[in-house]
Amino acid sequence: QVRLVESGGGLVQPGGSLSLSCAASGTIFSLAAGGWYRQAPGKQREWVARILSGGSTNYADSVKGRFAISRDNAKTTLYLQMNSLKPEDTGLYYCNLNYIGFDYWGQGTQVTVSS
């Protein structure tokens, strides 16, 4: 069984930074691709960033150059460093693990960017 728990969300002013964490239980973490998604009010969930088991990363164009995804396999934790935050970054942020076609999700952590 895989359980994901996000933390680190909050309220931040435009231009500020936040760091999200996603602690995972289970034994698949080091083998799985990790990702972050977000959902703004009234909108569909959208992909933000991905990191493969080997460490390769990809980002949505909207966050490229501002966000950084990383992982610590020893701690079975996924991270998302978010800099230069904008109001349009506001949303519920979910972490995801994908392993042999199965998706595992956390409950989400709220990020609000507002002055």
Side-chain angles (χ1 to χ4, degrees), residues 38 62-68 81-86 88-89:
R38 66 188 181 189
S62 59
V63 306
K64 202 171 292 183
R66 301 188 297 121
F67 290 12
Q81 177 64 41
M82 305 185 294
N83 300 323
S84 302
L85 282 161
K86 305 175 181 179
E88 51 263 43
D89 294 318

Side-chain angles (χ1 to χ4, degrees), residues 1-6 22-29 76-77 95-97 104-107:
Q1 177 127 7
V2 177
R3 183 167 177 257
L4 305 177
V5 180
E6 301 98 336
C22 173
S25 63
T27 60
I28 68 164
F29 184 86
T76 62
T77 300
C95 71
N96 166 274
L97 289 184
Y104 303 90
W105 297 92
Q107 294 300 305

Side-chain angles (χ1 to χ4, degrees), residues 37-48 86-94 109-113:
Y37 292 72
R38 66 188 181 189
Q39 186 167 17
K43 294 187 176 181
Q44 290 189 333
R45 189 177 299 188
E46 65 173 354
W47 169 70
V48 174
K86 305 175 181 179
E88 51 263 43
D89 294 318
T90 294
L92 192 59
Y93 281 67
Y94 298 91
T109 185
Q110 178 67 35
V111 171
T112 302
V113 185

Side-chain angles (χ1 to χ4, degrees), residues 2 28-34 53 96-104:
V2 177
I28 68 164
F29 184 86
S30 64
L31 303 175
S53 57
N96 166 274
L97 289 184
N98 180 270
Y99 179 63
I100 54 173
F102 288 91
D103 279 307
Y104 303 90

